[in-house]
Amino acid sequence: MIDLYTYDTPNGRKISVALEEMGLPYAVKVIDITKQQQFQPDFLKLSPNNKIPAIHDPAGPDGAPTSVFESGAILIYLAEKTGRFMGANAREKVAVLEWLMWQMAGLGPMPGQVHQFLLQPEGPARDFGLKRYGDETKRLYGVLDKRLGAHAFVATADGPSIADFAILGWVWRAERHLGGLGTSLDAYPSVKRWYEAMLARPATARGMSVALK
């Protein structure tokens, strides 16, 4: 039984979806970031950067317990553990890693900044932040829309990969960041098609609905 230390955020949802899709038994250990629980010493032992999510696996690669922090590292670890959702061949594996890194470097940090600036009072600082990070967020959605216009899934031919799980967590919050920018997923029809197809998968739906707070 893997322990998932997390909260109801895009990065947390990546891992609950992956665990459900991989059929791995897990127990949710809520880390309430609204109460600063991510700074507790016990959690710091698992996640030295004080960020959710983190996992503890009693059956690590050498049979001994191991913990993993950072959502991208967790997704790679779980894919290697199960031998699933990492691509059917070396070429697909490269694509999976490309799009996973794309999400972690772009479609996560950028809409995350949009979320923060939407909370700021009206004024030049808010306007600057929304322009800077909003334009980049919309550009990233355009990149993704073009990719999904030619591919059913982000990186692999026959089904989703950990890259899809990673991106899904942030598109889940599109209403907040795109809506705050005066647009919506309707402006990115291929992303919307993919998002709806992902949510129609029973395991993904379970991962998106499991209580994380």
Side-chain angles (χ1 to χ4, degrees), residues 90-100 147 154-156 161 163:
R91 189 173 297 276
E92 283 196 347
K93 183 175 181 179
V94 168
V96 170
L97 291 174
E98 286 176 331
W99 286 98
L100 176 60
R147 175 70 177 183
V154 174
T156 51
S161 69

Side-chain angles (χ1 to χ4, degrees), residues 68-121:
V68 188
F69 71 100
E70 289 294 327
S71 61
I74 295 169
L75 288 171
I76 293 170
Y77 172 81
L78 295 175
E80 291 183 344
K81 179 181 178 71
T82 60
R84 302 180 65 197
F85 300 108
M86 195 67 176
N89 52 54
R91 189 173 297 276
E92 283 196 347
K93 183 175 181 179
V94 168
V96 170
L97 291 174
E98 286 176 331
W99 286 98
L100 176 60
M101 298 306 125
W102 175 87
Q103 182 278 305
M104 295 183 66
L107 195 71
M110 296 300 108
Q113 291 295 324
V114 171
H115 294 173
Q116 291 300 313
F117 279 98
L118 285 169
L119 296 173
Q120 302 309 306

Side-chain angles (χ1 to χ4, degrees), residues 6-7 31 43 50 52 64 66 69 81 115 120 133 136 144 166 173 181 194 197 202 205:
T6 193
Y7 197 65
I31 303 297
F43 184 65
N50 301 112
I52 60 96
T66 192
F69 71 100
K81 179 181 178 71
H115 294 173
Q120 302 309 306
Y133 297 108
E136 181 63 4
L144 182 60
R173 284 291 182 251
L181 297 170
W194 164 86

